[in-house]
Amino acid sequence: ETGVTQTPRHLVMGMTNKKSLKCEQHLGHNAMYWYKQSAKKPLELMFVYNFKEQTENNSVPSRFSPECPNSSHLFLHLHTLQPEDSALYLCASSQADHRGELFFGEGSRLTVL
Amino acid sequence: GENVEQHPSTLSVQEGDSAVIKCTYSDSASNYFPWYKQELGKRPQLIIDIRSNVGEKKDQRIAVTLNKTAKHFSLHITETQPEDSAVYFCAALLEPETGNQFYFGTGTSLTVIP
């Protein structure tokens, strides 16, 4: 596979569940991102990893926990979410050392009941 | 951080007419401004970008202009076609020491009426 792939594409979970979103990129990039996309809001940057190191956490609640085991994989662990966390979660990657294109995955549509 | 504002939020044009979407940014350190197109149910994809040392860039029917002094940039689509219907996002890139941070506008839903 090429590009950025995200699984699962759709996820429904209760507020007490624990689940994880997975992202994998096959582009040789060294920066990976999680964005949250809600209706009528800008894409919200959640986390940035450069060379596997987390370099940004935009005041994201602790019920969202990222993990980047290597430069090709990124996870978003979800625990005790709220209904307002329902959104499309987009993973993206880019080259960290120069201004370049963000490549997005198809997204994981999360619904919290 | 950076704050990007985008207008209008919705835009309807007749096929063949032009469409213009405008964005402003707050941080003068931003130096790269991409535009992404997101079709319904699909991922955002880059359609054109402009760097801070350039005032205008054109690629066939789409063009982007940048005014660094005023801190605003615009997307222009000429001879619009139904397949141009999508949500368009502008973005600004800050490059702090900690790495690239892209900040997006709220999006413009463009409808091209055949």
Side-chain angles (χ1 to χ4, degrees):
Chain A
E1 285 197 43
T2 58
V4 181
T5 56
Q6 288 185 243
T7 55
R9 294 292 310 279
H10 300 273
L11 178 63
V12 179
M13 59 187 288
M15 289 192 284
T16 58
N17 291 160
K18 285 185 182 181
K19 297 286 183 184
S20 296
L21 306 181
K22 179 182 176 183
C23 177
E24 186 173 357
Q25 60 96 2
H26 304 271
L27 300 168
H29 290 161
N30 47 29
M32 297 187 77
Y33 312 75
W34 280 116
Y35 281 89
K36 177 183 178 183
Q37 186 174 33
S38 306
K40 300 195 192 309
K41 287 188 176 181
L43 283 161
E44 299 173 53
L45 178 63
M46 299 176 72
F47 300 104
V48 181
Y49 277 82
N50 286 281
F51 300 97
K52 301 187 298 176
E53 298 294 323
Q54 184 178 321
T55 57
E56 182 70 14
N57 175 342
N58 268 4
S59 304
V60 179
S62 60
R63 57 186 185 269
F64 294 92
S65 173
E67 179 190 359
C68 188
N70 56 62
S71 58
S72 299
H73 293 85
L74 184 65
F75 295 90
L76 188 62
H77 303 300
L78 315 170
H79 176 49
T80 324
L81 294 192
Q82 305 297 312
E84 58 265 29
D85 296 323
S86 299
L88 182 68
Y89 289 85
L90 287 162
C91 173
S93 70
S94 75
Q95 279 299 111
D97 51 359
H98 74 278
R99 288 161 278 165
E101 179 178 352
L102 269 180
F103 287 81
F104 285 92
E106 298 279 7
S108 293
R109 173 70 62 184
L110 173 67
T111 302
V112 182
L113 301 176
Chain B
E2 174 66 278
N3 180 43
V4 178
E5 295 191 357
Q6 183 172 348
H7 300 279
S9 57
T10 59
L11 179 60
S12 291
V13 299
Q14 291 288 335
E15 182 177 358
D17 288 351
S18 296
V20 180
I21 303 170
K22 299 182 179 181
C23 288
T24 60
Y25 61 100
S26 60
D27 196 324
S28 57
S30 291
N31 53 23
Y32 171 64
F33 306 91
W35 286 88
Y36 285 79
K37 176 183 180 182
Q38 187 176 25
E39 296 177 10
L40 191 63
K42 295 192 176 180
R43 72 187 80 195
Q45 291 192 292
L46 180 73
I47 55 170
I48 195 167
D49 57 13
I50 191 166
R51 303 189 187 276
S52 58
N53 58 348
V54 176
E56 183 174 0
K57 183 176 178 181
K58 190 173 181 181
D59 183 4
Q60 299 182 342
R61 295 186 298 108
I62 58 173
V64 58
T65 58
L66 171 65
N67 183 328
K68 284 204 70 181
T69 304
K71 294 205 279 289
H72 66 70
F73 56 113
S74 300
L75 177 71
H76 304 253
I77 306 174
T78 59
E79 300 171 29
T80 53
Q81 300 168 4
E83 51 265 38
D84 295 329
S85 296
V87 178
Y88 292 81
F89 294 95
C90 63
L93 173 64
L94 266 178
E95 292 178 285
E97 291 181 0
T98 51
N100 293 348
Q101 293 177 26
F102 290 85
Y103 292 87
F104 285 82
T106 47
T108 296
S109 179
L110 173 65
T111 302
V112 179
I113 303 165

